[in-house]
């Protein structure tokens, strides 16, 4: 394994952990960085499989909360409704993602110009939503009604276009459905667990015949880097968005998308 490839995997893993739970599109960042670095992964599996590190980061940070929900399930209607709400929100992406998997991986993942455009458009949408005079109805992620959960699930499907952002889509959807900024981000965290775990399992299954032992060091490097960085981000993010909102991330998207477009037009 070339040291350069390992270094690239480390960089991309850190980028995944940094961007997975903020509304800037981790997949879009990784695909753009991989394009300009010349990084090629088997079946484009690396970009999906290292998300397991981010999933484990959520499980680590929220272990106490998740354990309480699990132990409350037999006796708490609130806990049961919340788990059911997460499953309902997960279903649209599960169905559409499975049906469109080949198109997403072979067409959308291979179109860096589209990624840059979606980064810019998503940044403009995030700026617009962040400035709306919204009056939140829901202040706890566990109290979202089931129709709201389903609507957020359909918003999440927009993230199948790389550059859109899974967390960005779900956060914007939750805000428009009446959530406050903190509960919108927290619901996005919880929804990430089945969504990313499902994507990981499905992609591993689809690439089971082409992945080799030579791919493992690269994937493991990216996984560990993503886990460490994601733990840091998750611990920090909720307090930040509660105080400052999402404008910073909108500007981030505009800067990266704009720079990416310029780079593509100049260097290809």
């Amino acid at each position: 394994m070339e040291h350069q490839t390992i270094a690239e995997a480390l960089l991309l893993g850190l980028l995944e952990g940094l961007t997975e739970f903020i509304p800037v599109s981790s997949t879009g960042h990784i695909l753009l960085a991989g394009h300009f670095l010349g990084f090629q992964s088997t079946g484009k599996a690396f970009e999906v499989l290292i998300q397991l590190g981010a999933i484990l980061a959520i499980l680590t940070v929220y272990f106490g909360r998740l354990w309480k929900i699990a132990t409350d399930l037999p006796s708490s209607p609130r806990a049961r409704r919340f788990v059911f709400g997460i499953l309902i929100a997960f279903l649209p992406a599960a169905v559409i993602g499975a049906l469109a998997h080949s198109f997403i991986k072979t067409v959308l993942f291979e179109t860096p110009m589209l990624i840059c455009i979606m980064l810019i458009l998503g940044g403009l949408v995030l700026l617009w939503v962040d400035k709306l005079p919204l009056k939140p109805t829901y202040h706890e992620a566990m109290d979202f009604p089931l129709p709201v959960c389903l609507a957020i699930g359909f918003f999440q499907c927009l993230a199948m276009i790389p550059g859109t952002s899974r967390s960005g889509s779900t956060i914007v959807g939750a805000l428009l459905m009446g959530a406050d900024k903190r509960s919108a981000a927290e619901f996005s965290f919880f929804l990430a667990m089945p969504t990313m775990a499902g994507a990981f399992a499905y992609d591993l299954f689809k690439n089971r015949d082409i992945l080799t032992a030579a791919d493992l060091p690269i994937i493991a490097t990216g996984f560990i880097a993503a886990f460490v960085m994601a733990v840091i981000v998750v611990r920090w993010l909720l307090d930040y968005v509660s105080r400052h909102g999402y404008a910073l991330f909108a500007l981030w998207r505009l800067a990266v998308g704009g720079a990416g477009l310029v780079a593509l037009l100049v260097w290809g």
Side-chain angles (χ1 to χ4, degrees), residues 14-27 29 167 252:
L14 291 171
L15 191 58
E16 159 65 25
L18 175 64
T19 57
E20 179 59 51
F21 298 110
I22 60 177
V24 298
S25 180
S26 62
T27 302
H29 278 68
S167 60
W252 178 333

Side-chain angles (χ1 to χ4, degrees), residues 20-227:
E20 179 59 51
F21 298 110
I22 60 177
V24 298
S25 180
S26 62
T27 302
H29 278 68
I30 291 172
L31 290 173
L32 282 179
H35 174 79
F36 291 116
L37 289 171
F39 180 86
Q40 295 290 329
S41 68
T42 305
K44 289 291 182 183
F46 173 88
E47 292 81 353
V48 175
L49 297 182
I50 63 169
Q51 291 181 351
L52 179 61
I55 300 170
L56 292 181
I58 283 284
L59 292 174
T60 300
V61 174
Y62 275 80
F63 178 79
R65 182 92 173 267
L66 292 168
W67 181 256
K68 187 177 188 311
I69 292 171
T71 55
D72 285 349
L73 279 176
S75 60
S76 171
R78 185 180 185 229
R80 289 195 296 270
R81 187 186 68 233
F82 175 65
V83 171
F84 190 49
I86 291 294
L87 293 176
I88 285 177
F90 162 67
L91 282 178
V95 174
I96 297 174
L99 293 176
H101 179 269
S102 178
F103 177 75
I104 293 168
K105 293 296 288 291
T106 59
V107 178
L108 299 183
F109 271 36
E110 300 289 349
T111 314
M113 188 70 72
L114 173 65
I115 295 171
C116 293
I117 292 171
M118 294 310 298
L119 282 169
I120 293 169
L121 291 178
L124 294 174
V125 170
L126 204 57
L127 272 179
W128 170 68
V129 171
D130 199 54
K131 293 181 180 298
L132 286 177
L134 299 173
K135 296 181 179 179
T137 304
Y138 312 110
H139 302 277
E140 291 288 340
M142 289 189 66
D143 295 329
F144 289 5
L146 296 182
V148 170
C149 296
L150 180 60
I152 295 171
F154 280 110
F155 270 96
Q156 181 173 240
C157 294
L158 296 172
M160 292 176 194
I161 305 172
T164 303
S165 171
R166 186 207 60 79
S167 60
S169 298
T170 54
I171 286 170
V172 166
L175 291 172
L176 293 176
M177 292 296 106
D180 67 5
K181 292 174 180 177
R182 184 183 182 92
S183 65
E186 192 165 53
F187 190 86
S188 178
F189 286 173
F190 282 109
L191 182 54
M193 285 182 267
T195 302
M196 294 163 62
F200 172 88
Y202 190 74
D203 213 81
L204 186 62
F205 172 77
K206 295 291 285 186
N207 289 286
R208 66 192 184 281
D209 295 327
I210 58 176
L211 289 172
T212 67
D215 297 305
L216 294 180
I218 297 176
I219 293 172
T221 299
F223 160 79
I224 294 170
F227 170 79

